Amino acid sequence: MKFYKLFTTLLFSSLLGGCHLLGDYIPPDETTTVTKTDNGLCFAVPNAGDYRPATIRIRPRNSPEGTGFSRLMPALSINKGALCIADSYYSFPPNGDFIVNYSLRSPTKQRERRFVVVVFNMVNGEPHLLKPRHDEAPLLHGN
C-alpha cells in the first residue's frame, strides 16, 4: 500500500512539475558558424541528414523579442551541409549585430528537433561570429 501512495505521489508531482522522465524534453540550443558566399549568408549544419528548416527568425541583436523577420516553414533548404539565406530572401544590412534563430525538423525523426542560435556582427557586409549571451540562448547555457 505504501508503494502505491509513493508511486501516485511521484506520478502526480512529475505531471505537475514537467518531469523529463515522461518525455518533456527540449534539446539544448546549438550554435554554428556563419560565412558569406555567392549564395548569401550561410550557416553550417553539421550532421544535416534529412533535416529541413521549420522556422527562422532574424532580428537586430538588441531589439525586443518577437520583432524582426519571422517565417514558419521558410522557403529555404540545406545544401552541402549549409543553410544559406540569399539576399533575395532576406537582405542583411552591411553593419550591425544580429541574432538568427532557426529550428530544424526531420521527416524520419519525428520527435527530434534541433534549435540553432547564431549571433554575429556585420562589418562592411562581412559576418563575424559573436558569443550568445545567456538571455539569447538560455538552453545553450544549461538553464
Side-chain angles (χ1 to χ4, degrees):
M1 188 66 162
K2 284 185 179 184
F3 173 75
Y4 291 114
K5 285 183 180 182
L6 178 62
F7 179 75
T8 304
T9 303
L10 285 174
L11 178 65
F12 283 119
S13 64
S14 65
L15 287 173
L16 293 174
C19 176
H20 296 292
L21 297 174
L22 297 176
D24 184 17
Y25 173 72
I26 298 174
D29 291 336
E30 300 176 30
T31 59
T32 192
T33 59
V34 58
T35 55
K36 184 176 180 179
T37 70
D38 292 339
N39 296 327
L41 286 187
C42 295
F43 303 91
V45 182
N47 306 313
D50 64 350
Y51 281 95
R52 300 176 188 160
T55 62
I56 190 163
R57 284 187 330 193
I58 302 168
R59 65 182 173 94
R61 187 172 196 184
N62 292 316
S63 65
E65 190 73 31
T67 61
F69 178 86
S70 180
R71 293 289 183 271
L72 293 174
M73 302 304 292
L76 300 171
S77 61
I78 298 169
N79 293 312
K80 298 180 183 176
L83 173 66
C84 294
I85 301 173
D87 287 338
S88 59
Y89 188 78
Y90 181 88
S91 183
F92 286 91
N95 295 295
D97 294 352
F98 298 91
I99 300 174
V100 175
N101 300 79
Y102 58 90
S103 64
L104 304 171
R105 290 186 182 242
S106 164
T108 59
K109 301 174 188 131
Q110 294 292 326
R111 294 189 54 135
E112 293 182 31
R113 292 179 291 175
R114 295 171 66 181
F115 298 94
V116 183
V117 177
V118 184
V119 182
F120 59 96
N121 177 276
M122 293 291 284
V123 178
N124 297 324
E126 292 294 323
H128 301 277
L129 201 58
L130 299 172
K131 183 178 180 181
R133 295 185 307 240
H134 176 75
D135 62 327
E136 296 166 339
L139 295 177
L140 180 68
H141 298 282
N143 288 342

